Structure formats: structure tokens, C-alpha cells
Amino acid sequence: DAMVIQNPRYQVTQFGKPVTLSCSQTLNHNVMYWYQQKSSQAPKLLFHYYDKDFNNEADTPDNFQSRRPNTSFCFLDIRSPGLGDAAMYLCATSRGLDGDYEQYFGPGTRLTVT
Amino acid sequence: DQQVKQNSPSLSVQEGRISILNCDYTNSMFDYFLWYKKYPAEGPTFLISISSIKDKNEDGRFTVFLNKSAKHLSLHIVPSQPGDSAVYFCAASAYVSNFGNEKLTFGTGTRLTIIP
């Protein structure tokens, strides 16, 4: 089945220790997104790629970076995680075509910062 | 500034009855709206969408209504089934040159519980 896969599902990191979350897709979609969702809050868009074009949200902290080495993979790098970065991180994809805006989500990676 | 609001954190409905989930928005530029459903330990899954040129869209047991003047949309589920118990997110997007409607703004979600 075509899908969006996120690894790992649970990640524990230490305060200040860099961490990378990964996302892969078999849908061959043009657009990939990273969202941060904290408890009882709305998913918040951090950035997205349209093909190789990177689009950062204005309020995304510099501590968050992303890489998309090819169509299938996208990574979220947190350079120096703080306690406030503990959250669920959701990856999503979409075709990126006019009139087709449905986003397909992975199961998420829950990040704990100790 | 929460541009998409779901004011009811939770809702309980008897099986077989109608579930109505509400969503309000403040950005008049939003022109495309979606509902997502989320089960525990899974990512959100797309349920139904509506463009601002319509006021109603129906798909099986699910109907979304859009009232642009009130900046309000609602999701109706009828009849409600136990498998509908989940968190429902409302999302909205505005067409942006070079991006289309790619960027979604989500509400905080409503937890729907269907009582057998």
C-alpha cells in the first residue's frame, strides 16, 4: 500500500543533543510537509518542500532544519532540542496539483526531551 | 492568533444519531476547507473537503456545510457509528500564488465519542 512512513515512532533525546526524524513516502507526491503538534493543540506547519523548493514558515525557530535529498525522503533536524520542543512531529505529503489539496499524513514521531 | 477554531473539545453522541461538529474561522481569504479524522497512535486521515464556491458537500454518511457569511463550517455524520469515535480536525487554506492551496491551518480538534 502506498503510504507515508515515519521513523522512529518514539524518540527520546537529551536537552541540547541534536536529533533527526525521518519521513518517507511511496506516493510519489511532489509536496512534503513537517508539522509540530503539542498536546491539545492544532498541528502547526513548520515548513514544506515543493519538489526541491524549501518553504519555511516565518515563525519556525532556526533550531529546526529540514532536508529533502530525493522525492521519497524528508528529514527534520532539531539542532539543539529544548524541553519546549517535546511534541508529536507529523510528516505529510500532497500531490501539489491545482484542485487536489488533500494531505496524507504519517503516524507521527513522538519526541521526548529529557 | 487562532485562525481556525473548534470551540468544543469533546462531544458525545448516541449511536445512530446525528453528530454535528463545528468549526469557525477568521481569515476571509480561506477558500478551501477540509475535515480530518484521527485515531490514537495514527496520523490524521482525510475525510471530506469543500471549496468556498459551494455551500454543501456530501460523501456517504458525511456532509460538510459551509456558511461563508458566518465564517462557519460544520461536519454532519449520520447515522453515527462506534467506529466514528476519534478526534476530528477542521483545516482551512487560502490560495497563494506559487503555492496554490498547499498550506493548511488546523483547528485544535474535537474528540467525538459515540455511545453504543
Side-chain angles (χ1 to χ4, degrees):
Chain A
D1 281 345
M3 55 184 12
V4 181
I5 302 159
Q6 289 189 246
N7 286 307
R9 295 291 306 275
Y10 300 91
Q11 175 74 56
V12 180
T13 190
Q14 292 179 331
F15 182 95
K17 185 174 180 181
V19 66
T20 294
L21 309 181
S22 73
C23 177
S24 64
Q25 55 132 339
T26 60
L27 298 161
N28 203 31
H29 283 173
N30 294 315
V31 190
M32 295 188 77
Y33 309 78
W34 279 105
Y35 290 87
Q36 178 193 64
Q37 185 183 19
K38 297 185 177 180
S39 182
S40 301
Q41 294 185 20
K44 179 180 176 299
L45 181 64
L46 296 173
F47 24 59
H48 75 285
Y49 277 91
Y50 194 113
D51 289 333
K52 294 184 178 181
D53 292 334
F54 177 70
N55 302 281
N56 198 33
E57 292 302 295
D59 57 354
T60 298
D62 293 340
N63 196 26
F64 291 83
Q65 305 283 316
S66 185
R67 296 171 281 136
R68 188 179 185 185
N70 54 53
T71 300
S72 301
F73 286 87
C74 195
F75 300 98
L76 170 61
D77 301 308
I78 309 176
R79 293 192 295 187
S80 181
L83 297 178
D85 297 327
M88 176 71 81
Y89 290 88
L90 295 164
C91 175
T93 72
S94 71
R95 291 184 181 88
L97 303 175
D98 277 349
D100 187 349
Y101 307 120
E102 178 184 340
Q103 293 186 16
Y104 296 75
F105 284 83
T109 294
R110 181 165 296 283
L111 178 69
T112 300
V113 182
T114 60
Chain B
D1 177 30
Q2 191 72 23
Q3 296 187 63
V4 178
K5 300 177 184 178
Q6 293 178 257
N7 292 317
S8 298
S10 63
L11 175 69
S12 293
V13 174
Q14 206 78 30
E15 181 180 359
R17 305 295 289 268
I18 183 170
S19 294
I20 301 176
L21 296 101
N22 293 304
C23 178
D24 297 294
Y25 62 96
T26 58
N27 187 344
S28 58
M29 300 301 292
F30 285 148
D31 58 3
Y32 195 77
F33 304 88
L34 307 90
W35 284 94
Y36 281 82
K37 176 179 178 179
K38 185 181 184 303
Y39 292 121
E42 296 183 13
T45 55
F46 171 75
L47 200 54
I48 193 169
S49 63
I50 189 167
S51 164
S52 61
I53 62 174
K54 295 185 176 181
D55 54 19
K56 176 183 173 181
N57 189 25
E58 193 171 353
D59 183 1
R61 296 185 298 115
F62 302 92
T63 303
V64 56
F65 295 91
L66 175 63
N67 183 334
K68 288 189 291 293
S69 60
K71 294 191 179 67
H72 177 83
L73 66 157
S74 60
L75 174 68
H76 293 211
I77 307 173
V78 56
S80 300
Q81 299 174 353
D84 296 330
S85 294
V87 177
Y88 288 79
F89 290 96
C90 170
S93 72
Y95 185 87
V96 176
S97 176
N98 296 330
F99 292 122
N101 283 77
E102 292 167 13
K103 295 171 59 171
L104 298 183
T105 301
F106 282 85
T108 53
T110 296
R111 181 176 300 279
L112 175 65
T113 302
I114 305 302
I115 305 164

